[in-house]
Amino acid sequence: MRNIKFSRRSLLRGLGYGTPLCAGLTKNLYAQTAPRITRVAMFAYANGSHYSSEPTGSGTTFVLRPHMAPLEAIRNDIIVFKNLTMIRDGGNAHRGASFSVFGLGNATSVDQLFATHLKSTTPLASLELAVGQTSGDGGVIPGLSQVNGSFLPGAKNRVAAYQRIADRIPGGAPPPSTGTPPMTTPTEAEQALLRRKSVLDFVKEDVRTFRGRLGSAEAARMDFYTESLRTLERDIGSIIPTTPPDPAMPPTTPTCTKITAPTLTTRTMMNDMPTHSRLYLDVVAMAFACNVTRVASMMWGGGENNERIKFGNIDISAWHSVSHGDPDSGPGQQIINMQVYFAQEFLYFVQKLKGMSDGAYSLLDNTAAVLCTQNGSSQLGTSANFAATDHPPQHAPFVVAGSCGGAWTTGRLIDVGGRNHNDVYVSIARAIGMNVTTIGRAAWCKGPAIT
Amino acid sequence: MTPSGSAGTGAPPIGGGGAGGASPPSVLNCTGSLPLAQPRAWRLTTTQIVNTLRDQFGFVPPSVGSLPADTRLDGFANQSAKLTISPFLAETYFAMGHELGANAVANPSRFGITCDVTKLAPGTCLSGFLNTTGQKMWRRPLTPTELSSLTTLFTTTSGQGGPTAAVTSVVQALFLSPNFLHRTELGTVAQAGAVTPLTDHEIASSLSYLLWDSAPDDELLSLASQSKLRDRTVLIAQARRLFEARDRSGPAINNFLQQWLRIENLSLAVKDAAMFPMAAPEIAEDLKEELRLYANSILFDVGGDRSFKTLFTASYAFVNARTAPIYGLTGVTGNALVRRDLDRAQRRGVISMAPFLWGKSHASETNLVGRGAYFRAELLCHRVPLPAGGVPPGAFAPPNSTGRQKFEIHSTGGCASCHQLFDGIGFALENYDAIGRFRTTEYGQMIDPTGTLPLPSENNALPGMAFSNFVDLVDKLAEKPDLYGCFAQQYTSYAAGRDLPEIDACEKKAIADQFAQANYKIDELMLAVVGSPNFVDRKN
């Protein structure tokens, strides 16, 4: 055990970081002004869904199709949608979906809008994770979040994904791989921190000078880099060891616990999903429980991903190709199996949040967790045209779990009558405190879908 | 024989042409000086960062393994407008910078530290360290102001942990600086609307990152310091020198070719094991190596004529025991790839070879439409847009239909206006299965590889150039200008880090014309890009 005696708060003050910024590292400021700290997790999988995925029934008596059957266990915690359109622009279906599944018709994706709204309250504004990537004519896109039209690469390396969160949880020095050496004495710890600040101050000033030579578009990219550097700056508090606890600071959330670090550093491919996906879900849950971030997005294979996937009862020779196979025979069953798998993963995540306390509520109560596909259902009337259709955006399977701080009632089906997924995110945006009536492209919105 | 007409002339605008792609050719008025691009900062790609550190310090930070691939969409993965630094990248760069700094402490001489690093203090030794490492990383001499700031940083951080810790911090700061992570094309003139000539050091970096994917070497930096790189003769001579250093230029060219052929992720194109038992996963790397050796044989090996025409039409391949069966070759053993001639009745050029055919096919099926659309977009530079309303529904073809039978529906109605532009290419390529083996039948039926190809240079007039099979298509297309003009555009786009529509049409034409005049020598194409006004000047 390390024997750290100095006061984190006094050190932070000494570094010129007043409490407003750094207090947010371990104690969410939002908690002081709002009764509920809300979070948003967004999950999307590639290549559309089977044509008969959409739930039936209405209201609280909805019936899940086999594709979503695992979610029956949490039916009272979810809202399922009917007649929902995953709208996208024209052109290649997968390319269009890569932009619109989280982009909602704008150059900056909705998770990044949420992150911008909430960023001052947590060390990390957002967390992006990815298993697999897009391929083919949809381009090569390593994630679905985007800022000003540039995609943010999701962490695909297990260790890197874990480390981003674990290093920001008080309770131990980060390992060497983060670039900060182990801190064995208060002096060394303090000095390492001071050097880190010195380096960042230098670089920020350097960026400012560099930016002065650039035109507006170029300067905007430098501003984005500055914003990224600020994320590193916000870390300054969180890497200080907390043994013994500083009595001046409130305790961390009871369910905030570091999970076991992974050791495998291989880049995640689709076949790795059974082990990697669960780790990533645990990392998101850890990040939420420890208030390291309040916004997470994850991609399970990007558009037109054509990798081989073989585990459990899934044996897909090439995912995208199979998605265009006969829906009423082997290929269709494989797509259903994939959807069941993703539903199981979502179930695992939701139940995990449900088991974590967040004050008087569960973490799930304060979260909106979205499960969707990048494309809609291929339901255009009959199964016969499945293979020839181009992943039409209509009738998309779409689930929201949790009530995002009590913003709505769960356990029901909402028939949105063909409206776009933007409107679901309008509801989520309002639940996290954004005063909006549209989000993404305004023309794609009609108002909150969850009322 | 050199095809008549100016390569690239008369082609419809990229991405234009409407659904039918049959709009009249744009009339280019290219008299006068070429327009100049705007100044910019261009973030290094991961490959360029790795190569730079390897070449300058003999060290690659392990954390680079955490970096994901850069996005590639609508063109190449090196487009400057798309290369940003997200929080995740900044964090990883921060770790890499620290690792590099620690390496400096362990290997001080590589970083210009000639004294005891544990006693480093402001003075001659520190100046040597800052000047040497600064120039290696920022590819130019540092200004007195910059050296002063770094000295201050050293002094500050030395007081926060001693000289070795300060060395680490200074190197980390040099790494995180936009002066390392970006190369600039700014020049020194700030006046709005004015031409701003790039500095010699900016030109040195442009040249070395284009041809080596790495930082300029001592000779280039020396010439830059002598202000000689704006001398066109010197610049072209240096470009030739860099190109001839095949160990460094070869990988850079291969990087371009892999992206052009879309095979950088070949390992993800897994094949149906039941249908293709011989398609072992390690073949993906064999095929990438095959492409590299094939390009090298044309560009660098003795007897290579450096011609794109050869790249597009040759009938030989590099195979090992695993890949020889794809070409129907026997008697090849071991892992090493060896050159073998191919059946000229079956194979003609890089598009008829396994790396492309394997990569541009599905797991069991061939991807007839995808192959044809790729060819039209990337070899003829005609991006045909998908219908705005999405692909209309159709019906399943009967089981065991040939590719042509499955997609005959495209020849009727509204589908035909686009599909007649590229399905013919796909039909011809049906002679190669999903792993690239030559075949004449599918499901027991004869494959009909005949077709027609409307050419951009002929205003996409229908029915277009008739061919009897893919070999015939290649032979005939090799005598047309379209292919060469497009390849010149592709390389220009890659070199500029801008997507094709963003590059001025007259500049593309000028480079394509020079490529044609040089009998399609790829090295001359590279020199044409270097010799273009946009390589040395910008306009505010």
Side-chain angles (χ1 to χ4, degrees), chain A residues 302-326:
Chain A
E304 215 166 346
N305 183 300
N306 212 24
E307 289 185 45
R308 172 168 178 72
I309 308 170
K310 181 172 170 54
F311 58 83
N313 67 343
I314 296 168
D315 187 359
I316 289 180
S317 59
W319 187 5
H320 177 248
S321 298
V322 170
S323 79
H324 284 283
D326 185 346

Side-chain angles (χ1 to χ4, degrees), chain B residues 25-86:
Chain B
S26 53
V27 178
L28 289 177
N29 179 8
C30 293
T31 55
S33 57
L34 291 174
L36 296 169
Q38 291 187 322
R40 67 172 168 182
W42 187 358
R43 203 207 80 199
L44 301 186
T45 65
T46 299
T47 300
Q48 290 168 343
I49 291 174
V50 166
N51 289 353
T52 300
L53 299 181
R54 179 201 65 200
D55 294 344
Q56 302 288 50
F57 304 110
F59 176 75
V60 177
S63 286
V64 72
S66 296
L67 287 175
D70 289 318
T71 297
R72 179 170 62 69
L73 193 67
D74 300 334
F76 298 100
N78 67 346
Q79 292 174 27
S80 62
K82 303 292 184 190
L83 292 173
T84 57
I85 305 176
S86 68

